[in-house]
Structures are given as structure tokens and as C-alpha cells.
Amino acid sequence: MGMELRHLKTFHVVAECLNLTKAAEILRYTQPTISLQIQALEQDIGHTLLNRVGKRTFLTPTGKLLKKHTDKLFQNLDELEQDLRRLEKPYGNLTIAAPEFYCSYYLSQLLSIYVKVHPQVQMKLLCYNSKETIKLVESNRADIGIVAGKCNRPGIEEILIDQEDLVLVASPLLVKSRSAEELFAEHPFITYDLEGVIRECLEEIGCKPLWTIECGSEEAIKRAVMSQTGIALISDVMIEKEVRQGTLQVLHRFPKRLLTYLIYPRDQRDYSTVSSFVDVVLDVWPTFRA
């Protein structure tokens, strides 16, 4: 059985509006041309597709069955065309997810640079901690993520873009002359996670928090430490200003570094919207430390 795509398209439009005059306007054909194409398709299939009662047009059972399949066919073709356009030039929507610190200090500048070059792309920035950002990228609710630490998820591409020193900090008013061990015994450890590099750092200095306060963002952790709520392990980039001003005190600087990764679904790398943003990140991010 051979069916021409243009005949299927004509049938699909006719089946949608059930009006030959309107279908002719949409397709820019004459009504006789539409009738001939429908007849040719009926000959290919061996069944009648349309019935006319007076001035009204109805689908036969075979016509209803064929429409069910042409709905899927032309939806898939539309999606194919959209994907092919995404390979040609950046367009459409691009959702970036990252912890609040990255959103505030880095991504606001990166997005400004990107939209100047690609104004046709609609940008959306989501502020979540690294764990939640990974989940968003995994579930395709975000196209790109910036996270602290490795992702280690199948199907997710990781690109190392930064390395930051980790420091244990507290308010000078809290520290006074106390050691890190004494502070851990008297005050909560403020964190968003006790896994990975944070756990390894605490093991290195032999400190185990007696109790913790979980915060959803690094910025919230910093503010809590400054208000003397407890102590925290945090990136030195985040607290440079506060350390210089004396509002935060470094208790310990760790040799282990916090690695920052750009992540995205591996099957999205060839899409120009994703790849163009990745290129901007790789070009611009190093200048933040220059």
C-alpha cells in the first residue's frame, strides 16, 4: 500500500474541519484538487473515507481510524521540524537551575551576555540547591544546571568549570577563644547536606555535628552564620567580603576543594540552544576569577 504524504496531509486538514471550502482555503488548493487527492487516497487504502449528507461532511469508520493515525503522524512531523530548527540556531526556551549563590554572583551576568547575542531565546532561571538542581536536570525540568560537587547520574554530562576552597566559618562573636571542637559541641552545624565533600572535610578535622540546621541555599547558610546561629562549611568565594570586613572568622581552611560542574542531559548537547549557552559559560566563567 503506497500513500502519498501530501494526500494524507489533505485528508488530515479535511478531517479536522469537515468542510471542503475551509480546507481549500487552508491548503490553498481548489476544491476539485482536494476531491481528487481524497479519491486517490481512498483508492490506495481501498475504503471510503468521507461521506456527504446534504452539505455536511462526515468521516466514515475508516476515515476516523485514519485520522487517529494522521494526528500522531503530523504531530511527530511537527516535533521533528522543531528539533531540526533547534539544531540550526538557538531559539525557544532555555531553563537554567543553580544554587542561589551561583544565580546571584555568576548567572545573572552570564544570562545578560547570552541574551544580547541570542535575544530570541526565552530564559528562565531557577534557584535550587545542588541536589534539587540535579533532579530538575534529570527530569528535563531544567535544560542546564550548575552544581557544587559531582553529579554522577547516568545520561547527564558534567563539565568542570570551577574549583573553590572550602572553609569552616563562624561569627567572631561566637568564636572568641573557643576551638572548632568546642564550637561543634555547643552550636549547630548549618548546612544543606552532610554527604560527599562536606562529610569528608568534617572527618578530616575529627568533628561530628551533634545537631544540624538544614538550609535550602548557601546564601541562607551564610546569613545564619553571620547572625550567630551556628557554624558552617562554605566556599571561600562566598565569604571573601565578610572575612575582610571581620563579620566572619575562618576557623579552618581545607586542602580539599569544592568542584563546580555544569550539567545537562547528554542527548541535548547537539541542540544549539544548549550548546551555545555551554559555550558562553566556558568562555566567561574563568573571567570571574581573573
Side-chain angles (χ1 to χ4, degrees):
M1 182 190 300
M3 292 179 283
E4 290 193 32
L5 186 61
R6 64 191 178 98
H7 293 169
L8 287 171
K9 179 65 176 178
T10 296
F11 166 77
H12 183 68
V13 174
V14 171
E16 283 285 328
C17 55
L18 294 175
N19 184 302
L20 294 183
T21 302
K22 188 174 180 180
E25 291 175 0
I26 294 172
L27 294 167
R28 297 183 180 179
Y29 290 157
T30 64
Q31 285 193 45
T33 299
I34 288 179
S35 297
L36 287 172
Q37 291 191 9
I38 296 295
Q39 289 171 15
L41 187 58
E42 288 175 333
Q43 289 176 0
D44 289 336
I45 293 174
H47 294 276
T48 302
L49 299 171
L50 302 172
N51 278 331
R52 288 181 65 85
V53 178
K55 293 184 177 181
R56 300 187 65 186
T57 301
F58 297 91
L59 292 174
T60 66
T62 304
K64 291 178 181 178
L65 178 64
L66 183 59
K67 183 180 182 299
K68 175 183 171 183
H69 288 282
T70 58
D71 284 345
K72 295 177 184 177
L73 171 64
F74 289 107
Q75 180 182 344
N76 288 336
L77 286 175
D78 286 343
E79 291 174 0
L80 173 61
E81 288 177 1
Q82 290 177 21
D83 284 346
L84 290 174
R85 283 198 299 270
R86 291 175 71 183
L87 294 173
E88 293 170 3
K89 66 177 182 178
Y91 93 106
N93 301 313
L94 185 65
T95 300
I96 316 296
E100 184 181 0
F101 171 65
Y102 295 134
C103 291
S104 301
Y105 287 82
Y106 299 135
L107 284 170
S108 56
Q109 299 179 59
L110 281 166
L111 264 59
S112 176
I113 293 168
Y114 183 82
V115 296
K116 286 177 182 176
V117 181
H118 304 294
Q120 69 277 13
V121 177
Q122 300 297 312
M123 307 293 295
K124 186 176 183 180
L125 183 58
L126 306 176
C127 289
Y128 286 89
N129 64 34
S130 294
K131 272 187 174 180
E132 292 302 317
T133 293
I134 291 171
K135 291 179 183 177
L136 289 171
V137 173
E138 262 191 314
S139 61
N140 291 315
R141 287 176 288 164
D143 303 298
I144 291 175
I146 306 290
V147 296
K150 287 187 70 65
C151 170
N152 293 323
R153 295 289 199 283
I156 301 294
E157 191 73 29
E158 300 175 294
I159 301 177
L160 179 64
I161 57 174
D162 206 350
Q163 301 182 56
E164 303 167 13
D165 289 335
L166 283 170
V167 292
L168 187 67
V169 294
S171 165
L173 298 173
L174 209 63
V175 177
K176 297 181 180 177
S177 60
R178 280 175 282 201
S179 66
E181 290 82 359
E182 290 172 324
L183 289 170
F184 270 98
E186 298 172 11
H187 299 283
F189 181 62
I190 307 167
T191 185
Y192 60 84
D193 194 1
L194 274 174
E195 299 301 320
V197 68
I198 293 177
R199 177 178 52 79
E200 293 170 9
C201 287
L202 293 180
E203 289 175 352
E204 179 184 314
I205 60 173
C207 289
K208 186 174 182 180
L210 296 182
W211 73 100
T212 62
I213 296 176
E214 186 171 327
C215 286
S217 74
E218 289 85 347
E219 194 67 29
I221 292 171
K222 180 174 76 172
R223 289 195 293 267
V225 175
M226 292 175 65
S227 64
Q228 304 172 49
T229 304
I231 55 180
L233 198 156
I234 203 165
S235 162
D236 68 333
V237 176
M238 279 197 67
I239 46 87
E240 285 177 340
K241 177 182 174 183
E242 289 75 16
V243 171
R244 284 197 309 268
Q245 294 175 342
T247 53
L248 283 178
Q249 182 174 332
V250 174
L251 302 171
H252 188 85
R253 189 174 291 272
F254 295 87
K256 187 177 291 294
R257 309 194 82 188
L258 181 66
L259 306 181
T260 301
Y261 287 89
L262 181 151
I263 63 172
Y264 56 88
R266 193 165 291 143
D267 59 5
Q268 299 290 308
R269 184 62 171 95
D270 290 334
Y271 288 135
S272 60
T273 307
V274 171
S275 63
S276 59
F277 189 81
V278 170
D279 291 341
V280 168
V281 171
L282 296 180
D283 287 341
V284 176
W285 197 282
T287 67
F288 292 135
R289 297 298 194 92

